Amino acid sequence: MTTTRILLIAVFLFPTLLIGQVVSTIPVFPSATDSVTIIFDATLGNGAMEGISPVYAHTGLITSESGSPTDWQYVVGNWGTPDPDVLMEDIGDNKHQLRVHIPSYYGVDPTQEEVLELAFVFRNADGSAVGRASDGSDIYTPVFGSTGLFASIVSPTDDFLFLEEGNTIELELAASESCMMTLYQNGAVLNAEYTDGFNYSVNVSGDGEQTLVLECDNGSSVVYDTLTYYIPEEPLVEDPPAGTELGITHLSAEAIRLSLYAPDKEFIYIIGDFNDWTVSPDYLMKKDVLGSTWHLDIQNLTPGDSYAFQYWVDGLVKTADPYSLEVLDGFNDGFIDNVTYPNLHPYPAGKTTGNCSLIHMDEAEFNWQHNDFEAPAKTDLVIYELLIRDFLGSHNYIDLKDTLSYLKNLGINAIELMPVNEFEGNISWGYNPSYHMATDKYYGTRQALKEFIDEAHGMGIAIIVDVVYNHAFSQSPLCQLYWDDANFRPSPENPWLNPVAKHDFNVGYDFNHQSFHTKAFTNTVIRYWLEEFRVDGYRFDLSKGFTQNNTLGNPDAMAQYDASRISILKDYADEVWSVNPDAYVIMEHFAVNAEESELSDYGMMLWSNMTHQYNEATMGYSSNLSGTSYTSKGWADPHLIAYMESHDEERLMYKNIQYGNQNGSYSTRDIPVGLERCGAAAAFYFAVPGPKMIWQFGELGYDVSINFDCRTCPKPIMWEYYLDQDRKKLHDVYQAMIHLKTEQPVFETTDFEYELGGELKDIYLNSADQNVVVIGNFGMATAVKEVNFQHTGTWYNYLNQNEFEVSNVNQEITLGPGDYRVFIDQPIALPSGLDPIISSIESVDESNINLILSNTEVLIKSVDAVLAVQVLDVNGKLLLEGNTSRVNVGDLFTGIYIVQ
């Protein structure tokens, strides 16, 4: 049987099939002691360097001392500089060459370690354009021994081809020395010559698999190289059984059904562990009568075993299933330790290239322990945004589960995990998704994720996952199945993705959310995480990208309203709520208020970036925090998640230290002062009704720049902050305020007022049963704040647990710079284990202090703040101190002392 296409080049997205084309060498068989000419074809691989000159190599070696197949040694080249040591010669036709003597150029001694491969990526001068293999990986070319006979079928470079009967293969054959070179097809001699190389044309004929073997014999050694080609069978046309869903369906403990949507393809073979990664008619998929959906049942698998597999589409693309639940990655899995992911199924190295789907047969159902979990109300939400990689050195769910007690003690009631679905590489924020349903193994197993979620639910903590449906990255099967190699982007035939983004704030490859196929895929993914992992909601990344319209540049704000985008987002929210009516739907939207207000009215919550305003306040500059409240936008419901920090912004304390204001000796750049002001910001932030979010370690004043090493590079994990008394005090303020917000009904009130502009700020929360007043001075000097208490009588300074008598509802209070108060008209205890929080900058009106002395103690009564009390001798030597209103002086001798 024949097909209508001839396919001479194998998978364009997988580097090991292209090494001989992207990089070639003279001599063909370089040894570790040779001088070698390296030729880079910039049109191949990822094509990022096409048309660019000059080109610089970034190169190294893989040796016997390398810890893994990708562990470069002896690296040459200073990245991002016009380094003459790695400057390549432009030889025309988008080809560039570099001549090197391997031992002297790389500084390697081949007598001390074996040189196995040359390793490359290629760049322009500043490194903004980088040429790699087509899947974004590094490029490798082999190094041979200095003696011995070597043979190669130099061209075609692949060792397996799909071909059409009646066509021709043009072979280029080479040996490292003159010898008897014999070419066989299926055991029959096609040509024999005594030479070191020749070219030969082979007529494609026969059925199924055909094998070409090059034999080279110099009289003392015989070596071989092999090329296999396959003439594909015609697929059987048959609709899949009723109810077949796309992806992987487990039919029994021993059988699966695979189904792939791939219209206009000629043939698709399944290769995997179950057939030793070989092509055969038994694994040719059937296509439906429309020629769009392919399917095949695979039987006789072993219960309890795991199997990796791929689709080999038109002999051109090897890809995993778009609906994979787990993926093997030959480049990155080797860096995942056995504790994080025990007994990881081995990647089929040498048998295939690219990512593989992994299935577990007869996998046991997870035994959920906490089936009665009720997620907190939106108004009570305190979310902890968390990147596992930068939160724990072990970066796994096992230790994250053990850390839940810290988060529970802090008082948060929801965790928002930055993306945990399979993303490209291991070291990532996760916004470069490749498989939207698969869990990324760098954080652990699917079982461990479920255990973490179950444990969190047992502690009353909801789990929200960050999901990325605006785009995919090039390793995604949704990209690879329909790809424009020349332009390195999705092809116009792609059912899911736009070749060019339809909006001007895109990253990655843009989903077309008006496509039925994109909607069906996204809805499947939405249902899966809610049902399989019992997550409690989603944060939709870059939700304003769910459009085919570019509205951002329109100067008319109303014209920026996009009804199609709103309709799409409502449909996805409905899909979420059809599974779990109480699930959270959070949008990172940042679009015009008309859109955000409509989404809020529909029941969604929306991110609001208040980092700049809060940072201006903590640094001591003019600020307005009014945008923290949903009422500032005219919304009817408290669905605004305004935040002081997020993963996308510089840390408050980093900018305090770098750019803080100064007034005489008072400087917000001083760490204790900056932390104190962050505490003031937190008091106001948590007091404004509505859901809240903390970015990890914000409660400890994390002060490492977002650009440390690079924006998305790993950041230092600073758990030692907790042992620093100034940072611990900030933590305690967070804990105390979260306790108030989540436990006291008045923090859900709709009756509140605020004045959050200027240096002196206030918030008033009103209810029939309880009232709260928060005041603060964000200026750089002491100031008097007039406070309009709701009533007279005894109030309580919550953070330091002191009584405060209000004799006049309009009362003046002196506040030092950075000073703040949280007053409540009922005594509310601090969270268990928390001592009264004494500000180092609280101002005291001395006329309000009543000092009572006895033989055994000093008792201080004050209508102002609780004080740190110190007893000194007349020379100023500290004798006693306390942080309550009583200090025992019974052990002091009679005399004169200073009480401060």
Side-chain angles (χ1 to χ4, degrees):
M1 304 293 290
T2 61
T3 66
T4 59
R5 298 175 64 187
I6 177 169
L7 302 165
L8 291 174
I9 303 299
V11 186
F12 61 87
L13 282 178
F14 301 99
T16 57
L17 296 182
L18 287 175
I19 286 171
Q21 295 175 320
V22 181
V23 171
S24 57
T25 63
I26 304 173
V28 176
F29 306 101
S31 75
T33 59
D34 274 346
S35 292
V36 59
T37 299
I38 299 150
I39 301 171
F40 166 55
D41 187 339
T43 65
L44 301 175
N46 67 358
M49 298 300 294
E50 184 172 2
I52 294 176
S53 186
V55 169
Y56 295 83
H58 189 71
T59 181
L61 302 175
I62 304 299
T63 76
S64 55
E65 297 300 311
S66 296
S68 74
T70 58
D71 181 18
W72 288 30
Q73 307 292 311
Y74 302 101
V75 176
V76 181
N78 295 303
W79 191 268
T81 67
D83 187 342
D85 290 341
V86 289
L87 176 63
M88 304 189 77
E89 178 187 357
D90 189 336
I91 59 176
D93 197 26
N94 272 297
K95 292 183 173 64
H96 308 265
Q97 71 178 20
L98 179 68
R99 296 183 179 92
V100 304
H101 176 248
I102 291 176
S104 57
Y105 184 77
Y106 291 100
V108 65
D109 183 352
T111 65
Q112 298 300 311
E113 58 187 299
E114 184 181 3
V115 179
L116 304 174
E117 290 178 304
L118 307 177
F120 302 96
V121 295
F122 303 91
R123 61 175 176 86
N124 62 354
D126 64 6
S128 58
V130 183
R132 299 179 180 272
S134 292
D135 69 346
S137 62
D138 302 339
I139 300 168
Y140 303 93
T141 191
V143 175
F144 298 82
S146 57
T147 61
L149 178 63
F150 305 102
S152 176
I153 300 176
V154 177
S155 180
T157 58
D158 311 309
D159 57 10
F160 191 99
L161 301 172
F162 285 95
L163 301 173
E164 184 182 63
E165 187 174 15
N167 283 273
T168 302
I169 310 174
E170 299 296 337
L171 298 176
E172 180 184 348
L173 312 168
S176 58
E177 61 182 76
S178 293
C179 59
M180 180 55 68
M181 299 180 66
T182 305
L183 178 65
Y184 300 88
Q185 177 166 278
N186 299 331
V189 175
L190 296 180
N191 189 56
E193 297 182 31
Y194 190 86
T195 180
D196 64 357
F198 64 88
N199 295 339
Y200 193 85
S201 297
V202 175
N203 294 320
V204 175
S205 61
D207 295 318
E209 186 172 293
Q210 309 292 315
T211 303
L212 297 170
V213 176
L214 172 63
E215 176 189 83
C216 294
D217 185 350
N218 66 0
S220 59
S221 298
V222 181
V223 295
Y224 301 89
D225 196 13
T226 301
L227 180 146
T228 300
Y229 68 89
Y230 196 95
I231 302 171
E233 296 81 12
E234 194 71 30
L236 179 65
V237 177
E238 179 185 294
D239 281 341
T244 297
E245 295 185 353
L246 294 176
I248 305 161
T249 302
H250 288 259
L251 302 176
S252 71
E254 301 175 349
I256 58 172
R257 175 174 298 146
L258 303 179
S259 180
L260 178 69
Y261 183 75
D264 301 320
K265 301 301 182 183
E266 298 291 339
F267 59 89
I268 302 176
Y269 287 90
I270 299 171
I271 56 174
D273 291 334
F274 35 70
N275 60 14
D276 199 28
W277 300 91
T278 59
V279 174
S280 77
D282 293 339
Y283 292 90
L284 176 63
M285 298 188 80
K286 305 170 186 178
K287 63 179 177 181
D288 66 8
V289 294
L290 298 177
S292 59
T293 301
W294 301 74
H295 65 98
L296 188 69
D297 291 357
I298 299 176
Q299 310 283 349
N300 302 318
L301 301 178
T302 303
D305 278 3
S306 298
Y307 295 90
F309 77 91
Q310 291 174 318
Y311 301 114
W312 201 341
V313 182
D314 284 354
L316 184 66
V317 175
K318 288 180 180 177
T319 182
D321 193 287
Y323 296 89
S324 296
L325 306 186
E326 202 165 321
V327 176
L328 295 182
D329 181 337
F331 293 107
N332 295 294
D333 287 356
F335 298 97
I336 301 174
D337 62 78
N338 196 53
V339 174
T340 295
Y341 196 113
N343 305 313
L344 177 58
H345 189 93
Y347 182 84
K351 295 183 177 181
T352 192
T353 55
N355 290 343
C356 308
S357 296
L358 183 65
I359 54 174
H360 303 281
M361 298 303 299
D362 199 25
E363 188 174 25
E365 289 288 329
F366 182 76
N367 183 21
W368 295 93
Q369 299 297 305
H370 302 286
N371 297 298
D372 55 352
F373 173 70
E374 293 185 11
K378 295 175 186 176
T379 51
D380 287 337
L381 269 182
V382 180
I383 302 166
Y384 197 87
E385 189 190 18
L386 193 151
L387 173 59
I388 302 172
R389 184 198 72 186
D390 291 349
F391 190 63
L392 298 165
S394 60
H395 60 75
N396 64 44
Y397 300 120
I398 302 167
D399 289 341
L400 185 59
K401 183 178 73 171
D402 293 339
T403 313
L404 282 170
S405 57
Y406 168 81
L407 298 172
K408 176 68 175 176
N409 188 61
L410 181 62
I412 62 95
N413 53 26
I415 295 171
E416 181 181 302
L417 296 174
M418 287 172 66
V420 296
N421 61 281
E422 183 73 30
F423 45 78
E424 296 195 353
N426 288 330
I427 307 301
S428 172
W429 280 1
Y431 297 106
N432 50 342
S434 50
Y435 295 84
H436 286 77
M437 286 175 64
T439 50
D440 197 290
K441 302 184 301 301
Y442 192 67
Y443 298 147
T445 65
R446 296 169 68 245
Q447 171 87 5
L449 175 55
K450 291 177 182 180
E451 290 174 356
F452 161 71
I453 294 171
D454 198 28
E455 184 74 12
H457 285 172
M459 291 187 174
I461 298 173
I463 299 298
I464 302 164
V465 291
D466 206 336
V467 290
V468 186
Y469 302 139
N470 173 77
H471 56 269
F473 269 53
S474 61
Q475 286 183 9
S476 170
L478 304 183
C479 291
Q480 293 185 6
L481 284 166
Y482 296 89
W483 187 254
D484 178 354
D485 192 30
N487 295 299
F488 201 75
R489 66 190 187 193
S491 67
E493 300 78 21
N494 195 299
W496 307 279
L497 298 158
N498 294 309
V500 177
K502 295 293 186 178
H503 50 93
D504 60 3
F505 29 81
N506 186 65
V507 294
Y509 300 106
D510 182 35
F511 273 116
N512 174 7
H513 282 283
Q514 289 185 343
S515 163
F516 165 83
H517 304 290
T518 298
K519 290 180 179 180
F521 174 78
T522 304
N523 283 332
T524 297
V525 178
I526 284 172
R527 291 192 301 271
Y528 173 72
W529 288 88
L530 290 167
E531 294 170 347
E532 183 69 16
F533 291 96
R534 298 192 179 184
V535 300
D536 301 293
Y538 297 114
R539 180 261 192 189
F540 285 75
D541 180 67
L542 194 54
S543 60
K544 69 179 176 182
F546 291 31
T547 179
Q548 294 293 97
N549 302 315
N550 185 359
T551 59
L552 187 64
N554 196 310
D556 181 357
M558 284 309 297
Q560 293 183 30
Y561 175 90
D562 188 340
S564 68
R565 174 166 53 206
I566 296 301
S567 176
I568 288 166
L569 294 175
K570 286 181 177 179
D571 285 346
Y572 287 144
D574 287 341
E575 189 69 27
V576 172
W577 293 325
S578 72
V579 179
N580 179 358
D582 298 321
Y584 309 119
V585 177
I586 302 169
M587 297 292 166
E588 185 205 26
H589 204 58
F590 299 140
V592 292
N593 189 51
E595 285 194 22
E596 295 200 341
S597 178
E598 185 172 347
L599 295 175
S600 171
D601 289 344
Y602 204 68
M604 304 179 214
M605 293 179 283
L606 297 103
W607 266 28
S608 179
N609 184 358
M610 288 292 294
T611 303
H612 174 78
Q613 292 84 345
Y614 275 95
N615 223 159
E616 292 295 292
T618 62
M619 289 189 294
Y621 300 109
S622 176
S623 63
N624 190 327
L625 309 182
S626 300
T628 312
S629 174
Y630 67 97
T631 59
S632 70
K633 293 178 173 287
W635 294 5
D637 300 300
H639 291 162
L640 189 71
I641 305 180
Y643 53 80
M644 296 191 292
E645 293 183 322
S646 80
H647 68 267
D648 270 330
E649 310 298 333
E650 285 283 15
R651 296 288 189 159
L652 298 183
M653 272 304 295
Y654 172 77
K655 292 184 71 173
N656 284 354
I657 294 168
Q658 297 295 319
Y659 312 112
N661 202 355
Q662 301 177 82
N663 181 20
S665 61
Y666 182 81
S667 172
T668 64
R669 301 184 186 191
D670 293 341
I671 289 177
V673 174
L675 291 168
E676 196 86 52
R677 294 179 71 95
C678 285
F684 276 83
Y685 174 69
F686 288 109
V688 177
K692 303 299 173 193
M693 187 186 79
I694 306 165
W695 169 222
Q696 65 186 26
F697 296 132
E699 74 279 9
L700 294 170
Y702 192 88
D703 57 20
V704 178
S705 172
I706 192 174
N707 295 313
F708 177 87
D709 282 352
C710 74
R711 184 177 181 85
T712 59
C713 288
K715 300 298 183 281
I717 300 171
M718 308 294 284
W719 281 102
E720 60 267 30
Y721 278 173
Y722 192 77
L723 303 178
D724 179 279
Q725 64 177 2
D726 293 312
R727 296 183 187 275
K728 177 59 165 60
K729 183 190 293 184
L730 176 61
H731 169 279
D732 292 350
V733 171
Y734 269 73
Q735 184 179 352
M737 291 305 301
I738 293 170
H739 176 75
L740 266 191
K741 172 176 176 50
T742 57
E743 297 295 329
Q744 300 304 313
V746 70
F747 283 82
E748 297 182 53
T749 184
T750 58
D751 181 7
F752 60 96
E753 307 120 53
Y754 52 80
E755 178 51 60
L756 297 176
E759 294 179 346
L760 298 174
K761 305 181 192 296
D762 57 44
I763 300 174
Y764 297 90
L765 305 181
N766 311 307
S767 75
D769 300 319
Q770 193 177 54
N771 297 280
V772 174
V773 176
V774 182
I775 60 173
N777 176 12
F778 287 91
M780 297 296 292
T782 298
V784 176
K785 169 69 176 170
E786 182 174 311
V787 185
N788 307 120
F789 287 96
Q790 289 92 329
H791 59 79
T792 59
T794 301
W795 286 66
Y796 301 87
N797 190 336
Y798 169 66
L799 292 176
N800 60 31
Q801 293 286 284
N802 254 3
E803 293 182 4
F804 185 84
E805 293 299 326
V806 175
S807 56
N808 186 337
V809 292
N810 299 318
Q811 187 157 333
E812 291 185 344
I813 296 179
T814 301
L815 298 172
D819 201 358
Y820 62 101
R821 304 281 192 278
V822 178
F823 293 114
I824 309 176
D825 60 1
Q826 295 176 6
I828 305 296
L830 291 170
S832 176
L834 217 59
D835 292 327
I837 302 168
I838 307 301
S839 170
S840 60
I841 52 176
E842 285 180 325
S843 299
V844 178
D845 183 349
E846 293 181 13
S847 63
N848 288 333
I849 296 176
N850 183 13
L851 183 65
I852 301 173
L853 303 178
S854 73
N855 291 332
T856 59
E857 67 178 7
V858 175
L859 173 62
I860 297 175
K861 289 188 175 180
S862 170
V863 294
D864 204 325
V866 158
L867 308 177
V869 181
Q870 297 177 333
V871 179
L872 304 90
D873 65 17
V874 291
N875 296 313
K877 180 181 178 181
L878 178 63
L879 302 176
L880 298 170
E881 64 179 337
N883 61 2
T884 68
S885 59
R886 296 176 183 270
V887 176
N888 190 318
V889 294
D891 293 334
L892 295 179
F893 295 106
T894 301
I896 298 173
Y897 298 93
I898 300 169
V899 178
Q900 176 172 284

